[in-house]
């Protein structure tokens, strides 16, 4: 079993602790993405798994073996970096073969392995080229190929797509996902891009300030965020969050009451944050919907849909709407409707999500 287990992992630089005792189990063949803002500790955590950073406290297990004091070369992990880290004087084939030669693999076996991996990555026609003669996407595929040829127990990706343009990032995301489905190797991927996290991950680990905020599948985190941080980090645009007060029949935001059922008696008057995802509103009233009067500021067309930037009470909000091929009908929008079951509530003081019982 080539799973990875982090138990109470701490990283400190002198008196400054940057990773605060995190616990995480990554199952065999699982693709887990660590996501969070810059400085949240995700890359430091990945580097501790790789052996590039010393673990201050806690235990790291890979394939059932404690790895805290094991040298990086003996951990049987392969890492793909943001900056490719290719040898400029070597061609593609030699870059991919370098680690295998260090391990004294027979030449015939190296050649076969390189040919097989090059075919998987679409690099067969580029094996004689040097990195300077390749595009950014091709260089990243070479870096991935160098990791794949080792047949490691665990793949580690440290923001590998950050240096690519938007079109290439989309293409490479799909290639990485297909590659994982084909190879089935346990993978841990670090990114600050929540779109990469949502599209690639079997499970997402949202980190903030050196701690884990929530772990779950992409749709679990999108539909049921554990707190306001996760709610605001995942989603594009992020969830609208507005200060409100619970009433007997729902919640009041300014002068507007949003009605919903399910909260226990005695909760009226509790300060809450009301969360509404941009894509969860409609322009037509329906069952269990509440009207939100808005002051439309601008309409941002995106093709099949548009973003409505508006004011709702004292809050700036963003909602999504279908364009139906035109945006003229959106210019006069004065209210939107939100279905009660899709409203999320968070405690105003702690930011923690409230369940149906308060």
């Amino acid at each position: 079993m080539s799973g990875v287990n982090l138990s109470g992992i701490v990283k400190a630089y002198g008196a400054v602790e940057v990773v605060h005792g995190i616990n995480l189990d990554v199952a065999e063949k699982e693709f887990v993405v660590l996501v969070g803002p810059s400085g949240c500790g995700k890359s430091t955590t990945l580097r501790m798994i790789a052996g590039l950073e010393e673990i201050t406290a806690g235990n790291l297990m890979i394939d059932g073996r404690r790895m805290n004091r094991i040298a990086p070369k003996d951990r049987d992990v392969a890492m793909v970096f943001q900056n490719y880290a290719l040898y400029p004087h070597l061609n593609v084939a030699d870059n991919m073969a370098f680690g295998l030669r260090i391990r004294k693999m027979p030449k015939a076996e190296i050649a076969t392995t390189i040919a097989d991996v090059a075919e998987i990555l679409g690099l067969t026609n580029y094996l004689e080229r040097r990195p300077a003669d390749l595009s950014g996407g091709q260089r990243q595929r070479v870096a991935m190929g160098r990791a794949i040829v080792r047949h490691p127990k665990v793949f580690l990706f440290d923001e590998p797509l950050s240096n690519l343009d938007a079109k290439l990032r989309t293409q490479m995301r799909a290639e990485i996902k297909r590659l994982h489905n084909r190879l089935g190797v346990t993978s841990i991927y670090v990114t600050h891009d929540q779109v990469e996290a949502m599209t690639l991950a079997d499970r997402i680990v949202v980190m903030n300030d050196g701690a884990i905020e929530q772990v779950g599948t992409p749709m679990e985190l999108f539909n049921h965020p554990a707190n306001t941080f996760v709610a605001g980090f995942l989603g594009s645009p992020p969830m609208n969050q507005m200060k409100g007060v619970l009433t007997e029949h729902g919640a009041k935001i300014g002068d507007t009451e949003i009605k919903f059922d399910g909260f226990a008696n005695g909760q009226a008057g509790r300060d809450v944050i009301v969360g509404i995802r941009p894509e969860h509103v409609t322009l037509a009233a329906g069952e269990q919907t509440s009207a939100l009067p808005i002051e439309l500021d601008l309409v941002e067309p995106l093709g099949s849909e548009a973003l409505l930037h508006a004011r709702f009470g004292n809050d700036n909000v963003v909602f999504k709407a279908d364009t139906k091929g035109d945006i003229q009908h959106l210019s006069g929008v004065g209210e939107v409707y939100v279905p009660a079951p899709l409203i999320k509530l968070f405690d105003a003081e702690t930011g923690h999500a409230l369940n149906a019982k308060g």
Side-chain angles (χ1 to χ4, degrees):
M1 294 290 289
S2 54
V4 179
N5 171 264
L6 287 74
S7 178
I9 295 292
V10 173
K11 178 60 183 178
Y13 297 99
V16 180
E17 188 174 289
V18 296
V19 175
H20 313 301
I22 64 173
N23 299 292
L24 178 66
D25 288 314
V26 180
E28 184 180 17
K29 298 184 179 181
E30 189 176 24
F31 197 116
V32 167
V33 176
L34 308 184
V35 66
S38 297
C40 71
K42 56 188 185 296
S43 288
T44 301
T45 300
L46 193 77
R47 291 173 64 84
M48 284 191 285
I49 296 171
L52 303 178
E53 292 278 0
E54 185 176 342
I55 296 171
T56 305
N59 288 308
L60 168 67
M61 308 289 288
I62 298 177
D63 197 22
R65 182 185 177 195
R66 189 173 185 269
M67 292 289 173
N68 291 44
R69 302 298 178 186
I70 303 299
K73 66 182 179 64
D74 297 323
R75 296 192 181 195
D76 203 6
V77 301
M79 193 161 178
V80 180
F81 296 92
Q82 176 180 343
N83 62 357
Y84 317 135
L86 301 178
Y87 297 107
H89 63 290
L90 299 180
N91 62 24
V92 169
D94 289 338
N95 262 286
M96 292 170 62
F98 188 84
L100 303 181
R101 289 176 180 147
I102 294 294
R103 289 170 175 77
K104 302 187 184 304
M105 180 184 284
K107 289 184 178 180
E109 190 175 343
I110 290 176
T112 300
T113 301
I114 297 301
D116 291 344
V117 173
E119 184 177 356
I120 291 172
L121 295 172
L123 292 171
T124 302
N125 296 329
Y126 303 95
L127 291 176
E128 299 303 319
R129 294 191 187 183
R130 293 189 178 184
D133 301 322
L134 303 175
S135 68
Q138 289 166 343
R139 292 178 196 175
Q140 194 55 275
R141 283 202 294 270
V142 176
M144 291 169 58
R146 186 174 55 190
I148 293 168
V149 296
R150 292 177 50 193
H151 299 295
K153 290 179 180 176
V154 180
F155 281 136
L156 305 176
F157 298 87
D158 190 9
E159 304 206 41
L161 308 185
S162 295
N163 291 340
L164 305 181
D165 61 40
K167 183 177 180 180
L168 268 178
R169 281 201 302 272
T170 301
Q171 178 185 336
M172 287 300 298
R173 279 204 311 266
E175 290 189 16
I176 290 173
K177 190 68 175 179
R178 290 191 197 100
L179 191 62
H180 177 260
N181 291 339
R182 182 169 179 173
L183 300 177
V185 178
T186 307
S187 300
I188 303 175
Y189 187 108
V190 160
T191 181
H192 64 276
D193 186 336
Q194 56 94 19
V195 175
E196 281 183 27
M198 292 289 290
T199 54
L200 284 171
D202 295 325
R203 284 192 303 151
I204 296 174
V205 179
V206 181
M207 296 188 65
N208 182 35
D209 195 24
I212 293 176
E213 296 283 351
Q214 189 176 1
V215 181
T217 68
M219 294 313 297
E220 284 174 349
L221 269 60
F222 183 81
N223 290 321
H224 306 290
N227 54 45
T228 52
F229 178 83
V230 177
F233 194 83
L234 293 180
S236 182
M239 181 182 285
N240 298 293
Q241 299 181 28
M242 298 157 285
K243 293 181 179 179
V245 178
L246 284 183
T247 66
E248 292 296 334
H249 304 291
K252 195 170 185 180
I253 306 171
D255 297 326
T256 302
E257 185 174 31
I258 301 174
K259 295 185 178 181
F260 49 81
D261 298 319
F263 277 78
N265 294 332
Q267 294 294 308
R270 181 176 184 174
D271 291 331
V272 294
I273 301 295
V274 179
I276 301 173
R277 288 221 176 267
E279 43 277 295
H280 286 169
V281 301
T282 67
L283 300 185
E287 281 192 38
Q288 292 185 290
T289 62
S290 295
L292 306 182
I294 62 173
E295 297 178 17
L296 190 62
D297 181 27
L298 66 91
V299 177
E300 189 177 6
L302 301 176
S304 62
E305 59 187 13
L307 299 182
L308 308 181
H309 296 259
R311 292 280 297 176
F312 172 55
N314 296 321
D315 297 292
N316 292 313
V317 292
V318 180
F319 299 117
K320 282 186 178 180
D322 292 333
T323 62
K324 301 176 182 177
D326 188 16
I327 63 170
Q328 294 303 315
H329 67 288
L330 299 176
S331 60
V333 172
E335 61 184 12
V336 295
Y337 298 87
V338 56
L342 299 180
I343 295 169
K344 301 301 176 186
L345 293 176
F346 306 90
D347 184 82
E349 183 176 351
T350 65
H352 295 159
L354 303 179
N355 59 24
K357 296 182 180 178

